[in-house]
Amino acid sequence: MAKFGIGDSVRRLEDPRLLTGGGRYTDDTKLSTPAARAYVLRSPHAHADIRSIDTTAAKKAPGVLLVFTGADVETEGFGDVPCLVPLDNRDGTPRADTSRPMLAKGRVRHVGDPVALVVAETLEQAKDAAELIEIDYAPRPHTVDTWESAQPGAPLVHDHIPNNIVFDWAMGDQAATEAAFKKADKVVKLQIVNQRLVVNSMEPRGAICEYDPSDDRSTLWLSSQGVHMIRPVVADMILKIGSPKLRVRTGDVGGGFGMKIFVHPEYPMVVWASRALKRAVKWIPDRQEAFQSDVQGRDHVSIAEMALDKDARFLGCRITTYAALGAYLNHFSVFIPTMAGSSMLNGLYQTPAVYVNVKGVMTNTVPTDAYRGAGRPEAAYLVERFVDHIARETGLTPDEIRARNFIKPAQLPFKTALGDTYDSGDFETVMRKGMEKADWKGFAARRAQSARAGKWRGIGMATYVEKCSGGGPETVKAVFNDDATISLITGNQTNGQGHETALKQIASARLGIDVERINLVQGDSDVVPEGFTGGSRTIAINGVATMGVADKIIAKGKPLAANLLEASAADIDFKDGSFRIVGTDRSVSLFDVAKANKGALDDDFTRTPEADTYPNGCHICELEIDPDTGTLEIKNYTVTDDFGMALNPLLLQGQIHGGIGQGVGQALTEHTIYDKDSGQLLSGSFMDYAFPRADIVPAVKFDMHNSPCTTNPLGVKGAGEAGAIGAPPSVINAIVDAIHAHTGVKHIDMPVTPATLWAVIEAHRGKKAA
């Protein structure tokens, strides 16, 4: 039995169960009756009209139970898969919308667009039947490139959206920014691409639905980031059966990264089919299907301009971003490049005037939405690549350009030009500590040593700030059980972060009880309160709620313990899981009080964030390039972070290292590529999409310099996405540093594969650095 305190490095409590095969993921769900298997027939075209669909032969195939098409969606009067975020254009008009039925009606708009659902006794029978469906497609012109799709004359993804611009949004003071450029001594400009990524969670999406005829109710099991994000969309908005008719359940989740927050078309399809057949239906995709259907991430083209004074201090910044949204607007997709990410384009700098214009671009590709960091990595990459570029253009070192423009501790709390208020931090100290730990001063000698071996060595830094841990309230309920345990019931959903460990650790520390006596309950819409996981918010919100309900339990328990001890409540103290009379050895345990007063200690606490938190830090990457092959090796990777307070340093380091792995993957290997001529997804499997391998994910020197957050009682700042935010710009900055002196190249876009790097080196080798 073990008690843990806040700040202890605790190994993940859930790992022994998961590592020994005790996990229960969607595909492990035990049903009362065998499930029929669902298969989704998808469009082979990037853009086409559907002239006709003949399902006659498919319906007669062996084992087939039903075949649905867009015509059936129309007949049933079902709603579309919605975009949930309203947004106004710069001129005050509302954004356009895109109709997205579960199954295509009349037109398909990307390769993989769902066209028909086949349910049969076995998956093989469903696949065989799908091949018998005859569809007459009339291909239409398509567009898959983010920049080209927004240019006049590009094929329209939706006829009612001119130039494929679904919104034209802005934030910041345009007049003040233009004035800053007019008085500038120097203006620096750079175009930056943040490429499209496939999420590739370890556990693919999947859905299983079971129907109970006794109350006409369905239970949907799926891999999610919160059941209450799923239920109203499926039940109320799409199928229109009403939320009481649908129970949503989630077990263990093998990674989410934002993608599993959302309702994808297959979820309501499975519920619909199960209700039609009055039996269980199961849909589990393979990887190729996931590549064509899971919402994807990033895909921005940005143009950044900075106005500087004679001392290279930032006067004003102007940024225009073309953000690809795919063929349809998804739940939060319009929020990610706008309100979620754009305010972070201030970075950690004092820039007095910033103006951001974001144009949402429709393309004949899979829709995009939140992916680890959700707009914040895109902003940090743009800012920190740009700041390094500015340093090179002004002749300053990377640390000097940052130090001149950082917000100073004495200026905090600081309201940025884009409206956020940073409450705490010491940004230059964090950078300097990172440089010291990375031995920045000794880099020149290491570069010379590499040169003697025929290698080019580079070092790059990136600072970052992330707006996170805000949003709506989260509730934690505490229920005492008959077996002398306590259940913490919460609406968010662990998908690899270690919630079981973190929330139990807080409860153990606050209540002074063994973690073995604490259960965490998640993932059942009949049981858990509203909530979801995303935006690095669990500890800052659910953790504070856990602390709050523990304090309520203690307060309620004192008078009850006083009655048992025949003492005054004023004389009762609580420590190490027991109530005791002050100055005596007479005590009664928390669980004895709960047993004697059944249900009296059960309580809940709702935490509504007072403000966002702003974790920040500095990543430093040092690498070596072989100029003859374009291969590179990360030699050293150093991170210094400010997370306000570390609840569990060991758990925290695991989150940061995982995020760095994803960030390095984006920098060096990952790229979702659609063929411009055919619209086909060329990187549609692990044979073609270069997932980051162990040989490129670096060991990490990790350090913290924490300035406690002032807007929550724990003093914590969100941490789950930070590694993925700081890594890409630090890696690319190091690459540019390595090649610039030999080639004159000042910028290179992600991903920097050996082939692309070799091509750049060969095209510019020997050119003088400017």
Side-chain angles (χ1 to χ4, degrees):
M1 306 290 274
K3 298 182 178 72
F4 296 126
I6 291 174
D8 291 348
S9 284
V10 178
R11 290 184 179 274
R12 286 169 33 121
L13 302 173
E14 49 269 72
D15 281 354
R17 174 177 63 85
L18 298 175
L19 292 172
T20 55
R24 289 296 178 265
Y25 300 91
T26 301
D27 201 21
D28 299 317
T29 302
K30 304 298 183 185
L31 302 174
S32 57
T33 58
R37 296 302 300 269
Y39 178 75
V40 179
L41 181 64
R42 301 182 181 278
S43 168
H45 298 282
H47 200 192
D49 289 325
I50 301 174
R51 289 174 173 158
S52 65
I53 301 180
D54 186 347
T55 61
T56 305
K59 289 178 178 178
K60 295 177 181 178
V64 171
L65 302 171
L66 63 79
V67 179
F68 286 150
T69 68
D72 299 297
V73 174
E74 188 78 33
T75 299
E76 295 287 348
F78 291 142
D80 288 340
V81 180
C83 177
L84 302 176
V85 179
L87 191 76
D88 286 338
N89 295 310
R90 285 192 288 175
D91 62 6
T93 60
R95 63 163 175 81
D97 211 344
T98 59
S99 177
R100 187 188 187 189
M102 279 185 283
L103 294 166
K105 295 187 292 185
R107 189 182 296 184
V108 292
R109 290 183 166 86
H110 69 86
V111 171
D113 212 351
V115 178
L117 176 71
V118 181
V119 181
E121 293 292 351
T122 69
L123 180 59
E124 291 72 18
Q125 289 172 332
K127 288 182 175 180
D128 288 345
E131 292 186 2
L132 300 176
I133 297 175
E134 296 183 5
I135 305 176
D136 183 10
Y137 289 107
R140 298 173 63 94
H142 61 266
T143 181
V144 297
D145 181 85
T146 305
W147 176 263
E148 292 179 1
S149 297
Q151 304 310 307
L156 296 182
V157 180
H158 295 268
D159 295 341
H160 68 288
I161 301 177
N163 293 325
N164 294 312
I165 303 295
V166 70
F167 64 77
D168 185 351
W169 175 91
M171 75 182 309
D173 189 329
Q174 185 175 18
T177 304
E178 296 302 324
F181 275 83
K182 288 179 181 178
K183 67 179 182 181
D185 288 276
K186 186 178 182 65
V187 172
V188 179
K189 184 176 181 179
L190 184 65
Q191 179 171 304
I192 295 172
V193 174
N194 202 299
Q195 83 273 29
R196 179 179 286 243
L197 304 174
V198 175
V199 176
N200 280 316
S201 55
M202 190 177 295
E203 179 199 17
R205 284 189 305 118
I208 303 171
C209 190
E210 195 168 32
Y211 177 73
D212 185 350
S214 66
D215 57 4
D216 186 34
R217 197 161 189 248
S218 301
T219 299
L220 173 66
W221 283 269
L222 78 166
S223 187
S224 80
Q225 290 177 231
V227 293
H228 287 294
M229 292 295 293
I230 303 295
R231 185 167 75 155
V233 177
V234 171
D236 299 328
M237 297 182 183
I238 300 176
L239 297 180
K240 303 180 182 179
I241 59 175
S243 287
K245 294 289 186 183
L246 182 65
R247 181 183 188 182
V248 180
R249 303 191 66 180
T250 293
D252 291 312
V253 179
F257 310 115
M259 179 265 289
K260 290 181 181 173
I261 294 173
F262 315 114
V263 170
H264 290 69
E266 298 84 6
Y267 305 161
M269 282 188 222
V270 169
V271 178
W272 176 23
S274 175
R275 293 178 72 83
L277 294 171
K278 294 182 168 44
R279 65 175 288 185
V281 174
K282 179 177 184 177
W283 171 77
I284 303 292
D286 60 22
R287 283 291 174 184
Q288 183 178 11
E289 192 172 9
F291 270 88
Q292 294 183 354
S293 64
D294 296 350
V295 291
Q296 297 173 354
R298 318 290 193 237
D299 202 347
H300 291 183
V301 177
S302 299
I303 301 160
E305 300 171 274
M306 184 71 80
L308 302 106
D309 69 11
K310 59 182 178 59
D311 296 316
R313 288 186 168 83
F314 303 160
L315 300 176
C317 186
R318 212 162 36 200
I319 295 169
T320 301
T321 289
Y322 292 79
L325 302 172
Y328 306 100
L329 298 184
N330 207 59
H331 285 15
F332 296 164
S333 61
V334 303
F335 175 72
I336 304 308
T338 58
M339 295 171 280
S342 285
S343 68
M344 292 294 92
L345 290 166
N346 247 113
L348 294 170
Y349 306 107
Q350 301 181 44
T351 316
V354 182
Y355 182 70
V356 181
N357 175 213
V358 181
K359 301 178 192 296
V361 183
M362 307 308 298
T363 57
N364 292 116
T365 61
V366 174
T368 60
D369 211 308
Y371 173 64
R372 196 170 189 172
R376 283 72 55 90
E378 294 91 316
Y381 179 69
L382 189 155
V383 170
E384 290 301 297
R385 266 301 297 128
F386 192 32
V387 169
D388 242 48
H389 184 71
I390 293 168
R392 188 160 282 111
E393 293 294 287
T394 56
L396 297 177
T397 60
D399 58 306
E400 178 58 26
I401 191 71
R402 290 172 171 84
R404 289 191 190 189
N405 290 284
F406 274 150
I407 298 162
K408 310 303 180 187
Q411 295 174 283
L412 297 171
F414 183 91
K415 186 173 183 179
T416 73
L418 293 174
D420 289 319
T421 299
Y422 301 166
D423 64 288
S424 57
D426 188 348
F427 312 133
E428 183 172 355
T429 297
V430 167
M431 179 184 72
R432 298 297 178 195
K433 285 190 69 173
M435 294 175 70
E436 181 179 358
K437 196 171 186 69
D439 187 22
W440 191 280
K441 291 181 179 178
F443 172 72
R446 297 191 295 277
R447 170 174 269 176
Q449 184 178 11
S450 294
R452 288 192 290 272
K455 303 292 181 65
W456 299 351
R457 201 174 188 102
I459 192 167
M461 72 162 58
T463 61
Y464 76 91
V465 60
E466 179 191 7
K467 178 180 182 178
C468 60
S469 304
E474 293 277 350
T475 298
V476 173
K477 296 180 180 180
V479 175
F480 284 82
N481 306 309
D482 292 339
D483 61 353
T485 63
I486 183 172
S487 293
L488 300 177
I489 306 169
T490 180
N492 72 346
Q493 181 67 49
T494 187
N495 44 97
Q497 300 91 339
H499 291 180
E500 185 175 338
T501 303
L503 297 182
K504 284 184 178 183
Q505 188 171 350
I506 293 170
S508 174
R510 209 69 172 181
L511 295 174
I513 60 177
D514 296 321
V515 292
E516 290 86 352
R517 287 188 160 189
I518 305 169
N519 306 311
L520 182 65
V521 178
Q522 299 178 309
D524 187 341
S525 64
D526 279 4
V527 175
V528 304
E530 295 281 342
F532 81 101
T533 292
S536 301
R537 62 200 305 269
T538 294
I539 304 306
I541 306 178
N542 296 80
V544 171
T546 300
M547 186 172 68
V549 74
D551 290 346
K552 289 179 73 174
I553 288 168
I554 294 168
K556 289 173 68 174
K558 285 184 177 180
L560 299 175
N563 289 338
L564 293 176
L565 294 169
E566 298 180 336
S568 168
D571 295 330
I572 300 297
D573 190 17
F574 181 81
K575 186 178 180 182
D576 295 332
S578 294
F579 298 94
R580 64 187 71 243
I581 301 174
V582 176
T584 75
D585 60 358
R586 295 182 59 205
S587 66
V588 60
S589 77
L590 174 66
F591 289 102
D592 286 339
V593 173
K595 183 177 180 180
N597 300 272
K598 190 169 179 60
L601 290 186
D602 296 351
D603 215 323
D604 61 72
F605 187 94
T606 299
R607 168 67 178 177
T608 301
E610 299 171 12
D612 297 290
T613 72
Y614 295 94
N616 59 89
C618 179
H619 287 228
I620 297 176
C621 175
E622 186 174 332
L623 49 77
E624 193 177 65
I625 294 170
D626 182 340
D628 295 326
T629 64
T631 57
L632 65 80
E633 180 183 358
I634 296 176
K635 293 292 190 179
N636 297 295
Y637 201 100
T638 306
V639 178
T640 304
D641 283 312
D642 173 3
F643 293 130
M645 187 278 295
L647 167 68
N648 182 332
L650 185 63
L651 192 64
L652 179 62
Q653 288 183 49
Q655 283 290 290
I656 301 309
H657 203 168
I660 289 170
Q662 284 180 285
V664 170
Q666 177 171 11
L668 298 181
T669 66
E670 295 187 57
H671 196 184
T672 309
I673 301 175
Y674 289 87
D675 181 69
K676 288 185 180 182
D677 293 332
S678 67
Q680 295 295 316
L681 177 63
L682 300 181
S683 53
S685 75
F686 285 145
M687 292 294 290
D688 313 294
Y689 185 92
F691 210 50
R693 293 345 193 239
D695 60 349
I696 73 162
V697 179
V700 177
K701 299 175 186 175
F702 181 79
D703 196 9
M704 286 183 285
H705 182 81
N706 289 328
S707 300
C709 180
T710 64
T711 59
N712 67 73
L714 278 171
V716 298
K717 303 171 183 178
E721 298 159 307
I725 295 173
S730 68
V731 173
I732 301 302
N733 286 344
I735 292 171
V736 174
D737 181 62
I739 67 175
H740 174 65
H742 305 278
T743 64
V745 171
K746 299 178 181 178
H747 178 68
I748 187 168
D749 282 317
M750 301 184 291
V752 183
T753 66
T756 58
L757 184 53
W758 179 85
V760 167
I761 290 171
E762 287 302 303
H764 298 87
R765 190 190 289 267
K767 293 183 180 179
K768 185 178 179 181

